[in-house]
Amino acid sequence: SRSRCVARGRRLVRRSMSQEEAAPPRLSRREQKEAAEAFEGKLNCTPASCNEADAFRDADDALKGLRPAAIAVLNSQPVAELSPEAAIVMECWCYLHGETPEVASCVKLAGDPEDFKLVGMSSVHGMRESERSALRARFSEVDPKAVQESGAPTAEAITLMFNWLRAALALHDWAQEERKKSAT
């Protein structure tokens, strides 16, 4: 079993890793952006062969069009006033950025709206399986109806983040199934 050092606050903690978890190091922001653009360019120039791809394109376009002011609201809303659904979606968003899945981490990410929206399918594909499983487990706790009916100031950003996460996870599942089919 291999091990690696994991940052915990200001100290490093040695953590053992199974062979499955011993994934290559995470990509830099620039590398993530390039990979996301390459993947999305390929995805967008390929005729849609599934509903999941169409749903992802729509969600991605909507997210990319999100106004910086709508993201800035995430910084100004007191954490105690967030709905449980908003808090969960914000925690889930942190997984895409390789951050600790906490509302405070998402609030910090919202300080840079362009970086906040810098997500793509490579963000999902680049996660370790354990991270993706944790994301799915937490995301499954969100009530979609509550997200869409929220009248909170954060509703616009949270709804688009929710839709993007749902579409990205569905497209990832579809891609995994297609890979399994082609392998047999």
Side-chain angles (χ1 to χ4, degrees):
S1 173
R2 295 176 44 186
S3 66
R4 74 174 185 169
C5 291
V6 178
R8 296 279 187 230
R10 292 191 168 184
R11 61 190 172 103
L12 291 177
V13 177
R14 187 160 298 280
R15 183 182 103 162
S16 66
M17 297 171 40
S18 68
Q19 290 290 45
E20 182 180 298
E21 284 185 316
R26 293 190 77 75
L27 300 173
S28 70
R29 285 275 176 225
R30 185 177 55 75
E31 291 168 328
Q32 283 181 354
K33 182 178 181 178
E34 290 170 358
E37 288 173 353
F39 178 81
E40 289 169 25
K42 183 177 180 182
L43 184 65
N44 287 331
C45 72
T46 304
S49 60
C50 67
N51 293 335
E52 292 85 352
D54 291 338
F56 176 75
R57 284 188 200 103
D58 291 345
D60 193 55
D61 289 346
L63 178 72
K64 300 302 189 236
L66 185 60
R67 299 170 298 115
I71 295 170
V73 172
L74 298 174
N75 272 331
S76 62
Q77 185 76 21
V79 174
E81 294 179 18
L82 291 172
S83 70
E85 285 75 20
I88 294 169
V89 170
M90 290 174 75
E91 290 169 9
C92 290
W93 201 253
C94 293
Y95 282 104
L96 301 173
H97 289 274
E99 298 292 333
T100 305
E102 298 172 347
V103 172
S105 297
C106 189
V107 168
K108 184 178 174 185
L109 287 168
D112 182 352
E114 289 308 310
D115 189 45
F116 186 84
K117 296 188 293 185
L118 185 57
V119 293
M121 283 307 299
S122 62
S123 303
V124 177
H125 292 307
M127 288 181 194
R128 290 188 301 265
E129 187 56 41
S130 60
E131 292 172 320
R132 221 175 358 265
S133 294
L135 168 62
R136 283 181 193 285
R138 191 68 174 129
F139 190 69
S140 70
E141 298 174 28
V142 178
D143 176 9
K145 188 175 181 181
V147 169
Q148 294 170 347
E149 292 177 354
S150 172
T154 59
E156 180 182 5
I158 296 296
T159 299
L160 292 178
M161 292 161 62
F162 173 82
N163 291 339
W164 192 96
L165 283 161
R166 181 173 52 186
L169 290 170
L171 183 56
H172 180 267
D173 291 345
W174 174 84
Q176 293 294 86
E177 285 300 314
E178 290 299 308
R179 284 186 193 107
K180 286 179 188 176
K181 287 178 189 175
S182 68
T184 57

